[in-house]
Structures are given as C-alpha cells and as structure tokens.
Amino acid sequence: MTRRTCLTIGVSTLTPLPNQTLRFAYLDGAVLAARSIGDWALRSGFGADNVRIVDDGPIDGQGNPVTRERVQQAVDELFPSGAEVVEQLILAFCGHGLTDANIGSISWLFSDSLRQKYRVLADSFYTELLLHGVQRITLITDACREAPKSLDLTRLDAVRGIVVQGTQVENPRFDRLAACQDGQLGYMVSEPMSGAPGKCVFSGVIADALWGIEPTAISNGLITTATLGMCVRSRTTERAKEYRLKLNPQCLVDPEPAVLYNTAQPLPGPAGLQPWPAAGNAATMGPSPAAGPVDSAEHNLERVHSDAAFRQRMLGADFGLKQHDLTVPADQMITIPDSSKELLQDLVVLRQQSPRFPEKKQKVKALVQQLEADAAADMRKSAATEVRRRMKQIGDPGKANLIVYGEGAKLLSRAPIERLDSTSLFETFRATSDPQGMPVLVELADGTFTPVVPYAGQYAVVMPSPLGDIFQAYGMPKAPDRYLAMLGAIDDFAAGRLQAEDIDQFAAGVCHKKHADPMLGVICAYLYRAVADYDSIRRLAYFYAAQGQPVPFDIALLGAMRVTLEPDGTPQLQIPAVKARALRPKAAKAPDYIRRATPAVQAWIGGRCPWLGLGWDYVNDPRPEWAALVDGLAEHAKTVRHSGSTVLPGKVARKLAKAWRLQASAREDLTRPAVARQAPAKETNRPSQRSEQ
C-alpha cells in the first residue's frame, strides 16, 4: 500500500531582532495560501493523518510562530514508524526567503530565523525527507526575496531544518514549482483600504488551479502535475502583469505525470480561498496615471543615468546591489536596462502622486526593488560577456596547466610549481596534478585567494569578473572546440541564466575521450541537485573515478554520498551503484554515459572545499555520513560570497593552507632555470575502482 501526504508551511511575519522594529512586510496571504493547499489535500482524499499545515496564524489571539521544532513535529507525525510508503508528497512553503540567482538555490525563513540566525536550505530539507523513502516530491515554493538592505540573508547559517533517521538518500521523481528562479522578487497583492487579506501571486495561482478554478489546468477531466505546471507558468505571468508586476516562475515536472484531481469527483467549494484584489487598487501594482505632464519613458531613463538629483529622487540614496551579492566599483554607475524603462516610468508617475496617495510608500518600495533586481541581472550579463571575451584570449597553453588572468599571482601548494611566463594579461604556471585531489591556492593581486585543482591532461584558467567574482574554466590541449563550448556554460553561469531544464545538454559535454571536464561537472551537479536527481550526481562521480580523476568536491558534497577518512586524513568518497534511467524528451540523443547504470566504486576527492561559492551553504549542518568532507569549513562559510567560484579572504585562506599543509611556491625569475616538477604520486595509492560486492 502507498499513500499521498501533504506538508504546507506558511510564514506571514518574522520575529525581529531584539531592540529592532520589524522591517519585513506582513504576508498574511502566505498563511492563507498554505492553508488553501493543505485544505485541498484534505478534501482530495489524502486523509487527515497525511496532511499537516504549519503556519503562524494566531490562535485565540496569540502568536503561533513557525519554528524548526513545530515543523519537525509535523514531519514526525506524517512519517510514523511502520507507516505505508509515501507515493507522493506535496511540499509547499509560502513566505519570506531567498532564491539565489546562481542556479536557483532556495532558502526559506521561519518565524524565528532572524533571532536564531538561520535559514532553511530547501533542498537540504527535502533531502532529509527522502530518507523516508518518498517516491515523488512535488515542491511548491513561493519565497519572496524582499529584505532590508542592511540584512544580508546569505549570512544566516544554512541548515537542514529537520532531522530524519536514515543513511541512504534515494532518487525520487521530482516536480519543482518555484515563484522565482533568477534572484527576482516574489509578490503579494492586496487591497488595503478594504481590510481584506492579501493574495500571493504565485501560490495564489496554484491554489486556484488545484481547486479547479483555473480551466487551463484541466485536461480530459484531470489535473495532473504536467497540466498544473503548464497552467501555473503561464497564468502566474499573466496575473502579475495585471498588477504591473514581473514574475516568471520555474515549473519543471517529471516526465511521468501524477494525477492530482479528477473533476469527475468534484470537490466541495474551496474553503477560505481569497479573491484577487481589483487590479486598479492593489498595493503593489504600478500607479494610475497622474495629473500633469510626465516625460516619456525614454527621456526618464536618460535622466536617471545622467542627472544625479533626479536619480536620487526617483531611486533613493541607497539604491544599490548589496542584497544581490554583487561588488560594484565605486566609480561605476549602476544602470537601469532599457527593458525596464516602463517600470521606471511607473515610478516617475507614482513619485508625482499626492503624498496622501494610499499605500504610496509600499508601491514605491516594490518598484525600486524590481528596478534594482533588473539592474543586477543586467550587470551580471554584461560582466559574463566580458569574462567570456577574456577567456577566449587564451591561445595554445603550451606546457602551462594553470593560467591566471592579471599580474602578481602567488601560489600555495604542496608540490613545487614551475612558473613559465608572465604578460600584461596572463601569468602561466605548471602545477603538479595530485591523484588525491590536493588543491593549489592562488593568491590574486587584491590579496584574496581561490582554490584550483590541477587535473592531468587539462589546463585551468582563473578569471576575475568586473563585478568582483572569480570564474574558472578547464580546457584540453589541442581541443579548442571543447574549451569554447565550456566557455558557453561559464557564460550562462556567470550571467545567472542556467536552468535545470537544460541539464542534459550540459551533461552531454562533460566527458571527452579519457577525461571529464571538472568545472562543467560541478555546474551539472548543482543543476541536478535543483531537481533532486541524486543518481545523476552519483553517475557523474563514477565517471571521474573511472577516468582516474579525483571527483570534484562539489559533486561529492551534493550527491548525498558517504565520505570516509584514510589514516593520513585524506577524504575518500564511497560512490554507490545507480540504475539506468530514462532520459527526458529533450535529451533523446544524449550520449549513453548520462543514462547508463554504474557500479559502486571508491574515489579520491578533488579539492578540500567547495569550488563554487554557492557550495558553502552545504558545509553547515551536515549529515554524519558526509560530515568528514566538510570538517573545519563551517566556521568560514559566512566569509565566502555565494556568486562565482570560491573566493577566500586572505586570513581564511592562510588558515586553510596551514590545515592542508600547503606552502608558498617560489616565483622564479624567468631568466633562471625553473624549479623541477615533483613526480606524480604513485598509482598504488589510488582507491580501488572495482565494484563493491
């Protein structure tokens, strides 16, 4: 026997820090959306024992905050010992949170998150649930990105949120319905003068669809995960436009649809499903036309870029990009892209409204935040184009296998490094490839460090971005086409364009002859993790081991695999066997290696910390099975930016270099003989790649 379960979480308000006032919007619509989805599950035959709604709606006039303890209790009640296997879990979160621009990592904030200094990493949350043997998860996440500029949400500790007993994470079917996938804002609309509660745009559309109010979600009398995804993607965008907002959700569903609702068995009327506010009065929409003349959108866009006084009056003195994890030089103007000129026009009109215009302050804030998000996205795209242009300047690397853009690079390593050449653009080195995956720390001209793992038969390029990020790419000598193809992936990653739906196209380029591209594999692992495809991450790990290459650290980190330590402290990855899988329709012509069954093997791990800044979210609160992999890293997680490759502050890098027993590598005068390279470690030290019996 199997059963269907539903867990919904609604957080309307966050408990402020001591001696501070609340600076987050009150999202009463989040509670109503969570309850609507939970009530739908109850009336759809899930059964009272299989539905739990956890929200902070008041009880008898008293507050009822959402905490990890309450959510843990709900999970324990849904999964009692000896219960039937869960065929499908509807997991919904509505409230405040963060959707990262890099590969769509999602964090949720519970009521006490600010006081307790944590955020719940959504995929770590459902990774725990998979230990209960859930066969399918349908994730609904409507996490508004709004936050005070003084609060950097990424500096809150990323945690699992719940704890489940178990050791082997299984690969489920997975549906991902997310309000934001690009670092943009989620929205709730309301009609303040009426006193009615607000309605969250994304989860409001989902609730309507589940209750059968959206006809486009019904096909042949059924609402399935497939029809729900198609409906929500289009209707959310249309609903947002009605309120002069921009919202482009991500709706990825497993190719095998699950039936959610059969209209042949009609449900009783939806309980408490709030109506949509009138578009002309909604608090977060753009304003009605103002009295008096207003310059054209083109003219206002020009003025905001050229007239400092006008710019400050329109956008405010604190218009910036801190909450988007970008570092912009002080002398560089933050520009609003042409595509956002209509939003700016709405703001100009609103600024000219009477000061008594209802909810004017809230509308202004929403428009300024959206313009800021647009500006951040545009700057990422421009910076990504520049990174790609610089990386294309690399010609034949010759004997070099480590190329650093800029001058003044210094290296920390275990083995001596041969310095080959220096130009005004690049410095080139020959570094020993360690079969056990020990990294080299590259110190850049600004005193920060980035870890690089030299791979045999490949060269690594370290490239700074104009926005302060670092990006790395790997190439193979005499294979320029492969390198250029890799730059396309780096370009998409740097610009925040990567989508999980394109994963099989990226994965198809990982392996080439006797090598697997390590950075492309890392990017693929994050995309697979976004859709809970753990078997594909483990399959990636196997192919590095099979090629005699260390498995990149992030792949080991994201694949929910056991890690052990050798007597000398070297980490070793235990890669489990995985079954063959059917490919998504778009990947019908993909190579065999991304679908085949693979055996269990052991492998060394490439690097001793995450390659990407985003990976530092996963070093906190690890499960015991892979805790050895991240030992000693959590204390440094808050110092690492989440965008681009890992960039370590000098103090942190030197502490890690000491722990990893790395030493400064002499920078020889080019007129002197170069330091001889150390012989590679003996192959007898490598873990067995034979299948475990």
Side-chain angles (χ1 to χ4, degrees):
M1 294 289 292
T2 60
R3 60 196 177 105
R4 293 195 295 169
T5 60
C6 178
L7 172 63
T8 69
I9 304 170
V11 182
S12 65
T13 189
L14 303 177
T15 305
L17 295 170
N19 303 318
Q20 293 189 12
T21 57
L22 181 65
R23 294 174 294 171
F24 283 80
Y26 174 56
L27 300 176
D28 52 1
V31 170
L32 294 178
R35 291 179 178 178
S36 296
I37 295 170
D39 287 342
W40 166 83
L42 280 170
R43 301 194 186 203
S44 297
F46 281 48
D49 291 340
N50 295 323
V51 177
R52 289 294 180 272
I53 303 170
V54 184
D55 63 59
D56 60 358
I59 298 179
D60 298 327
Q62 301 297 316
N64 191 32
V66 173
T67 62
R68 283 179 283 185
E69 291 75 18
R70 284 187 63 201
V71 176
Q72 180 75 60
Q73 179 182 350
V75 169
D76 293 341
E77 291 171 353
L78 283 174
F79 297 93
S81 177
E84 293 90 351
V85 171
V86 172
E87 176 185 357
Q88 182 179 24
L89 166 66
I90 307 293
L91 174 60
F93 176 87
C94 308
H96 284 288
L98 172 69
T99 303
D100 199 287
N102 285 316
I103 319 184
S105 175
I106 297 171
S107 294
W108 299 332
L109 298 181
F110 290 175
S111 300
D112 61 347
S113 283
L114 299 184
R115 288 211 167 193
Q116 299 298 324
K117 299 180 180 179
Y118 74 90
R119 55 192 165 92
V120 177
L121 200 60
D123 63 359
S124 292
F125 185 96
Y126 58 70
T127 298
E128 289 292 301
L129 293 175
L130 292 176
L131 293 170
H132 283 302
V134 178
Q135 296 177 354
R136 184 184 194 124
I137 289 182
T138 299
L139 174 70
I140 299 168
T141 174
D142 192 357
C144 177
R145 196 191 193 285
E146 181 189 39
K149 288 181 179 295
S150 59
L151 177 63
D152 185 353
L153 296 183
T154 62
R155 295 298 177 253
L156 302 178
D157 289 334
V159 301
R160 289 177 278 164
I162 54 173
V163 176
V164 171
Q165 300 303 315
T167 58
Q168 178 64 50
V169 174
E170 299 297 338
N171 212 55
R173 295 189 179 279
F174 188 77
D175 311 304
R176 174 185 169 111
L177 307 177
C180 309
Q181 79 278 6
D182 53 4
Q184 296 282 336
L185 298 168
Y187 291 99
M188 182 186 79
V189 291
S190 61
E191 200 168 347
M193 303 304 292
S194 70
K199 185 154 183 166
C200 296
V201 176
F202 179 70
S203 48
V205 169
I206 287 180
D208 288 357
L210 289 174
W211 281 98
I213 296 174
E214 288 287 355
T216 57
I218 303 172
S219 177
N220 297 321
L222 300 176
I223 297 176
T224 68
T225 49
T227 62
L228 177 67
M230 289 187 291
C231 166
V232 170
R233 180 181 294 167
S234 59
R235 285 297 289 145
T236 298
T237 302
E238 292 168 2
R239 281 290 188 189
K241 286 182 179 178
E242 292 176 14
Y243 299 99
R244 303 289 290 275
L245 300 172
K246 183 171 66 175
L247 196 57
N248 298 301
Q250 183 184 67
C251 299
L252 300 176
V253 299
D254 188 271
E256 183 174 312
V259 175
L260 297 170
Y261 168 47
N262 188 333
T263 58
Q265 301 171 333
L267 299 175
L273 194 63
Q274 72 271 41
W276 291 95
N281 299 323
T284 57
M285 66 156 271
S288 303
V294 177
D295 286 331
S296 68
E298 289 80 3
H299 181 68
N300 285 324
L301 184 64
E302 180 182 348
R303 285 190 67 190
V304 85
H305 292 155
S306 60
D307 185 336
F310 179 78
R311 174 187 176 86
Q312 182 166 332
R313 187 166 71 252
M314 290 298 108
L315 304 179
D318 62 347
F319 185 86
L321 301 170
K322 180 179 179 181
Q323 68 172 332
H324 296 276
D325 203 20
L326 297 179
T327 299
V328 180
D331 60 349
Q332 183 172 341
M333 173 70 76
I334 301 170
T335 61
I336 296 174
D338 289 347
S339 60
S340 303
K341 64 185 178 183
E342 299 302 331
L343 279 176
L344 177 62
Q345 184 75 353
D346 289 342
L347 181 61
V348 171
V349 173
L350 184 57
R351 291 289 196 190
Q352 295 185 4
Q353 295 277 3
S354 165
R356 296 182 180 274
F357 188 81
E359 298 299 318
K360 173 181 175 180
K361 184 176 181 181
Q362 186 178 356
K363 290 185 178 184
V364 166
K365 183 179 180 182
L367 286 170
V368 171
Q369 285 181 323
Q370 191 165 342
L371 287 167
E372 187 176 73
D374 288 354
D378 189 64
M379 294 187 75
R380 279 195 180 93
K381 292 176 183 177
S382 297
T385 300
E386 178 62 15
V387 167
R388 185 172 185 175
R389 184 192 68 81
R390 291 175 182 176
M391 284 187 167
K392 288 178 69 174
Q393 292 177 317
I394 304 293
D396 183 356
K399 295 182 179 180
N401 67 350
L402 177 54
I403 303 168
V404 183
Y405 188 89
E407 298 179 284
K410 302 176 183 178
L411 307 183
L412 301 178
S413 65
R414 279 201 184 173
I417 291 179
E418 183 179 356
R419 181 172 181 267
L420 299 176
D421 197 4
S422 177
T423 70
S424 60
L425 293 180
F426 300 100
E427 290 191 306
T428 59
F429 304 86
R430 182 71 187 176
T432 301
S433 175
D434 180 4
Q436 294 184 333
M438 184 55 61
V440 172
L441 282 177
V442 178
E443 182 179 7
L444 304 170
D446 63 359
T448 60
F449 290 75
T450 188
V452 181
V453 182
Y455 272 68
Q458 301 187 52
Y459 60 91
V461 179
V462 177
M463 181 70 59
S465 159
L467 296 180
D469 294 323
I470 297 294
F471 294 96
Q472 296 180 26
Y474 283 76
M476 284 171 255
K478 299 181 181 180
D481 291 343
R482 299 284 302 178
Y483 178 69
L484 293 177
M486 175 61 201
L487 295 192
I490 292 293
D491 186 28
D492 288 337
F493 170 57
R497 287 191 296 260
L498 285 183
Q499 299 292 322
E501 59 193 359
D502 300 322
I503 176 59
D504 288 319
Q505 298 175 31
F506 282 102
V510 170
C511 291
H512 177 65
K513 295 184 179 179
K514 295 183 179 181
H515 299 284
D517 187 304
M519 182 55 74
L520 188 55
V522 165
I523 291 174
C524 286
Y526 283 93
L527 294 174
Y528 280 132
R529 178 73 180 234
V531 293
D533 191 348
Y534 297 89
D535 277 358
S536 287
I537 300 175
R538 294 161 182 170
R539 192 178 285 108
L540 279 174
Y542 167 80
F543 285 111
Y544 287 96
Q547 304 284 21
Q549 297 174 281
V551 177
F553 187 97
D554 302 57
I555 296 178
L557 184 66
L558 299 175
M561 295 176 278
R562 188 163 62 93
V563 176
T564 58
L565 294 179
E566 294 290 282
D568 65 355
T570 303
Q572 191 175 99
L573 183 64
Q574 312 298 319
I575 307 171
V578 297
K579 299 177 182 179
R581 73 176 179 96
L583 287 177
R584 300 172 182 86
K586 289 184 178 180
K589 297 181 180 180
D592 174 69
Y593 66 77
I594 70 173
R595 75 174 84 184
R596 57 172 284 194
T598 56
V601 296
Q602 297 175 325
W604 299 121
I605 297 171
R608 298 296 180 264
C609 71
W611 290 29
L612 299 187
L614 190 62
W616 288 81
D617 268 353
Y618 299 88
V619 305
N620 291 295
D621 197 21
R623 288 196 59 84
E625 302 89 90
W626 51 84
L629 179 66
V630 298
D631 185 40
L633 296 179
E635 63 181 291
H636 308 304
K638 293 181 181 179
T639 69
V640 181
R641 290 177 58 182
H642 281 53
S643 53
S645 297
T646 286
V647 179
L648 300 170
K651 184 177 180 180
V652 172
R654 283 183 280 273
K655 185 173 182 178
L656 292 176
K658 183 177 180 180
W660 300 339
R661 302 192 301 278
L662 306 183
Q663 299 178 346
S665 179
R667 301 179 69 244
E668 307 86 352
D669 188 313
L670 292 178
T671 61
R672 300 178 182 177
V675 176
R677 287 183 289 130
Q678 177 175 303
K682 294 182 179 180
E683 293 293 317
T684 55
N685 290 333
R686 280 181 39 199
S688 169
Q689 294 175 14
R690 291 177 296 175
S691 301
E692 294 178 357
Q693 301 298 321

